[in-house]
Amino acid sequence: MVLMQIAEPGASETSPDGPRKVGVGIDLGTTNSLIAHFDGDRLSVLPDEAGAMSLPSVAYYGQAEVIVGDAAVVLAAEHSADTIASAKRFMGKSRDEVSDEGYLEFADEGMAFATTRGPVTPVEVSADILRALASRANLAGFDQLDGVVITVPAYFDDAQRQATRQAAELAGLPVLRLLNEPTAAAVAYGLDSAEEGVVAVYDLGGGTFDISILRLERGVFEVLATGGDSGLGGDDFDRLLADHLTAAAALDNLTIGQRRGVIACARGVKELLSEQISCTVSLDHIVAGTGEVVVDRSTLNGLCGELVNRSLDACRQCIEDAGIEQVDRIILVGGSTRMPLIKEAAAKLFGREPLTHIDPDQVVAMGAARQADLLVGNRGKDDLLLLDVIPLSLGVETYGGLVERLVHRNTTIPVVRAQEFTTARDGQTGLLVHVVQGERERVEDCRSLARFELSGIPPMVAGAARILVTFQVDADGLLEVSAKEESTGETAHVVVKPSFGLADTTIAEMLRAGYENAGTDMQARQLTEARVDAEQLAAGIYAALKVDGDLLDESERGDLLSAVQGLEATADGDDVEAIRSAVEHTGKVSELFAARRMDQSIQQALGGISLEALEQEVGE
Ligand code: AMP
């Protein structure tokens, strides 16, 4: 594949010699958010007045004021309904998709949190967090921001990305680009060195795990594949260690509050064990009279081993998806990668010592800042641009409920793919284009993204119309699908709407189901295709017999009918090969009928002159 430089939409054309413009990078996290700036020399996270680098992604909506960050976290205990945390998890989702979140309160209409201040949407919460971050830029002396790059998880779908853009618009921020989080981390490291080679970004935070494989080549940075496990993170280690502490201290029947206390304590112990090989814990402040427990690093490693192996399995899958043999650099991102166990496991799997010298909590924001600086126009000669990939395949439903994939999973974006389709029935004047996402062969096993209708197709026999369906995924992963009937130029299109959000756990599940069912799916696909062929052949013969049945004598008609009936009976069964040969046999039996019909239609076209007469005439 030839790699090309892509002109970034929105990128400024300012000369690098002009006054330096201000670009900032924002890591809009589920739990914490950060804003960073690159001054051409140094990358730095911009702190608040008190010097705090990270801003808790929490907002309080009281009658008189909106408070974001640490102060909102404090208010959460007393005003839980008015304090919104983890709004990122609800971005771009419909109310139905989050109905299992029992602790949420929704306003009457739509997807919004009910607060004293009135309904507040996840987009509005994110906008308030973004405003709070932007005010840090003012504090740092930047009166005006020329461009902002915001990071999003690699698994974010179109709706979630669109919602993130809306939040930025609402906050009045000039967004140049949304950037995948692992990609941003790689920018913080990879773009500086401008090396060629393959880079793995292993990102293990509190609740999720993401792995990405990137390639730097001839000045272009390309994401080859992404994967991960959205239900794996440091919180799981905390729970396992909390179980161990509870058993070791012989505690039972803990209240919910005490259990929470033990988990918080476990988290502290876990983090301490990244620095030292053993520590002594007292749970006396949680349950009075509890003795001390000694925990060493090897015990923690033993507890976490299985979960770490799960992350390694996802890495192996990603390596396979990327189609690469070896990785040249590994970058560790996320607080949990401070654990020596993780560093060792990643080093062993990839056969390289990981890069860890940029703070794993800040590296994403720093990469975004680097990219923002580039996009506002402060370009240096060594600067590189990024390509990205889509996480799940995109396609359309075809006759028989099968999926035709136009854009495959892990395809680099932006991308445009077009394919011609045709009508299934005679005289069909409309076409319903059903856009689906997923790795399965049948529509019912994939995720429906959108449906739209192309009308105004001139009536023709089945298979004669030519309809060009085009999928266009832009640099932010937003999808536009259009359909065009070639003879009339009639077109219709759809841009996928935010209500089609995707649960963050769903991608992993869909991929797993795709791999597990690949074999049976392919068999089911072949069976459906054979049945569709059989059905169309039988329908065509019946329709022709109705009109021109008298072209055959009784015994010929009997032969044809029995072939068609045999075909229908075979198509009711599950034997693909038998259906295919019945289609072939019936096709052969119908050849005589087809020839007579053709003869008849030529004669009609010639106004009753027989073919022999015509041949004679031409001959003379
Ligand atoms: P993040 O979501 O990237 O902020 O990561 C948060 C997770 O990193 C939590 O589970 C923390 O307990 C974990 N973490 C932070 N620092 C350390 C450390 N020094 N050792 C082990 N885990 C850590």
Side-chain angles (χ1 to χ4, degrees), residues 205-206 234-235 238 267 270-271 274-275 334-336 338-339 361:
D235 297 348
D238 301 348
R267 179 175 171 153
K270 173 193 76 176
E271 293 178 7
S274 293
E275 308 304 321
S336 296
R338 292 194 178 97
M339 288 172 75
D361 288 321

Side-chain angles (χ1 to χ4, degrees), residues 152-227:
V152 291
Y155 58 77
F156 254 28
D157 70 355
D158 307 335
Q160 291 166 303
R161 284 166 199 263
Q162 224 164 352
T164 306
R165 275 189 172 272
Q166 279 167 10
E169 258 169 50
L170 205 59
L173 298 182
V175 176
L176 295 175
R177 178 150 198 209
L178 302 183
L179 189 61
N180 279 349
E181 288 161 6
T183 308
V187 174
Y189 281 106
L191 293 190
D192 285 344
S193 55
E195 284 173 30
E196 301 217 331
V198 176
V199 183
V201 182
Y202 179 107
D203 180 351
L204 188 65
T208 58
F209 169 63
D210 288 302
I211 173 76
S212 300
I213 309 252
L214 320 165
R215 179 160 56 200
L216 277 171
E217 199 172 55
R218 274 173 281 148
V220 178
F221 202 13
E222 183 189 12
V223 182
L224 294 180
T226 62

Side-chain angles (χ1 to χ4, degrees), residues 426 461-462 536-553 556-557 560 586-587 589-606 609 611:
D426 290 347
V461 292
Q536 289 190 328
L537 181 60
I541 292 174
Y542 282 132
L545 279 172
K546 223 178 195 173
V547 185
D548 294 324
D550 54 0
L551 292 176
L552 296 176
D553 67 25
E556 288 165 343
R557 213 169 25 246
L560 183 55
T586 311
V589 176
S590 70
E591 274 168 8
L592 173 76
F593 184 37
R596 294 218 181 123
R597 293 190 80 207
M598 181 131 18
D599 214 17
Q600 173 182 263
S601 61
I602 292 172
Q603 284 195 21
Q604 280 165 354
L606 298 174
I609 310 168
L611 268 182

Side-chain angles (χ1 to χ4, degrees), residues 61-247:
Y61 293 88
Q63 192 70 47
E65 56 190 346
V66 177
I67 297 172
V68 177
D70 287 311
V73 174
V74 174
L75 286 163
E78 239 183 274
H79 305 272
S80 60
D82 288 343
T83 313
I84 317 292
S86 304
K88 180 171 173 177
R89 290 176 39 227
F90 307 101
M91 294 285 274
K93 294 191 180 171
S94 68
R95 207 171 150 159
D96 299 344
E97 288 171 298
V98 294
S99 54
D100 57 338
E101 307 284 343
Y103 57 88
L104 273 176
E105 286 189 44
F106 292 98
D108 289 343
E109 28 15 272
M111 165 76 186
F113 308 99
T115 73
T116 303
R117 212 177 163 76
V120 181
T121 64
V123 168
E124 286 167 331
V125 177
S126 296
D128 286 323
I129 294 165
L130 290 171
R131 276 192 201 100
L133 290 169
S135 72
R136 294 179 174 198
N138 292 113
L139 208 64
F142 305 121
D143 298 336
Q144 193 203 317
L145 297 180
D146 297 303
V148 178
V149 168
I150 301 178
T151 59
V152 291
Y155 58 77
F156 254 28
D157 70 355
D158 307 335
Q160 291 166 303
R161 284 166 199 263
Q162 224 164 352
T164 306
R165 275 189 172 272
Q166 279 167 10
E169 258 169 50
L170 205 59
L173 298 182
V175 176
L176 295 175
R177 178 150 198 209
L178 302 183
L179 189 61
N180 279 349
E181 288 161 6
T183 308
V187 174
Y189 281 106
L191 293 190
D192 285 344
S193 55
E195 284 173 30
E196 301 217 331
V198 176
V199 183
V201 182
Y202 179 107
D203 180 351
L204 188 65
T208 58
F209 169 63
D210 288 302
I211 173 76
S212 300
I213 309 252
L214 320 165
R215 179 160 56 200
L216 277 171
E217 199 172 55
R218 274 173 281 148
V220 178
F221 202 13
E222 183 189 12
V223 182
L224 294 180
T226 62
D229 187 333
S230 51
L232 176 64
D235 297 348
D236 299 308
F237 303 154
D238 301 348
R239 282 189 285 271
L240 289 175
L241 185 56
D243 292 344
H244 173 79
L245 293 176
T246 308

Side-chain angles (χ1 to χ4, degrees), residues 157-387:
D157 70 355
D158 307 335
Q160 291 166 303
R161 284 166 199 263
Q162 224 164 352
T164 306
R165 275 189 172 272
Q166 279 167 10
E169 258 169 50
L170 205 59
L173 298 182
V175 176
L176 295 175
R177 178 150 198 209
L178 302 183
L179 189 61
N180 279 349
E181 288 161 6
T183 308
V187 174
Y189 281 106
L191 293 190
D192 285 344
S193 55
E195 284 173 30
E196 301 217 331
V198 176
V199 183
V201 182
Y202 179 107
D203 180 351
L204 188 65
T208 58
F209 169 63
D210 288 302
I211 173 76
S212 300
I213 309 252
L214 320 165
R215 179 160 56 200
L216 277 171
E217 199 172 55
R218 274 173 281 148
V220 178
F221 202 13
E222 183 189 12
V223 182
L224 294 180
T226 62
D229 187 333
S230 51
L232 176 64
D235 297 348
D236 299 308
F237 303 154
D238 301 348
R239 282 189 285 271
L240 289 175
L241 185 56
D243 292 344
H244 173 79
L245 293 176
T246 308
L251 301 176
D252 35 38
N253 298 326
L254 294 179
T255 63
I256 291 175
Q258 286 170 331
R259 168 78 182 158
R260 262 194 217 132
V262 178
I263 290 175
C265 182
R267 179 175 171 153
V269 171
K270 173 193 76 176
E271 293 178 7
L272 207 57
L273 287 175
S274 293
E275 308 304 321
Q276 50 195 60
I277 54 164
S278 174
C279 74
T280 306
V281 195
S282 166
L283 298 172
D284 211 43
H285 61 291
I286 299 166
V287 179
T290 312
E292 289 185 334
V293 180
V294 176
V295 191
D296 52 33
R297 191 185 281 168
S298 62
T299 306
L300 176 67
N301 291 354
L303 293 169
C304 301
E306 204 174 304
L307 290 179
V308 173
N309 281 340
R310 243 168 74 189
S311 80
L312 299 183
D313 286 342
C315 292
R316 289 189 193 99
Q317 179 64 57
C318 194
I319 291 173
E320 198 182 315
D321 282 350
I324 45 121
E325 297 287 309
Q326 77 156 45
V327 166
D328 303 308
R329 308 301 281 273
I330 319 149
I331 297 172
L332 298 186
V333 177
S336 296
T337 62
R338 292 194 178 97
M339 288 172 75
L341 174 67
I342 303 286
K343 289 183 194 171
E344 285 156 20
K348 195 160 167 223
L349 179 78
F350 292 105
R352 295 274 181 282
E353 274 310 306
L355 293 172
T356 52
H357 62 267
I358 301 182
D359 183 324
D361 288 321
Q362 299 185 351
V363 62
V364 168
M366 287 185 169
R370 188 72 199 248
Q371 181 76 357
D373 182 66
L374 194 132
L375 293 177
V376 289
N378 303 326
R379 287 164 187 258
K381 62 177 174 13
D382 295 330
D383 289 329
L384 311 170
L385 292 177
L386 292 170
L387 302 178

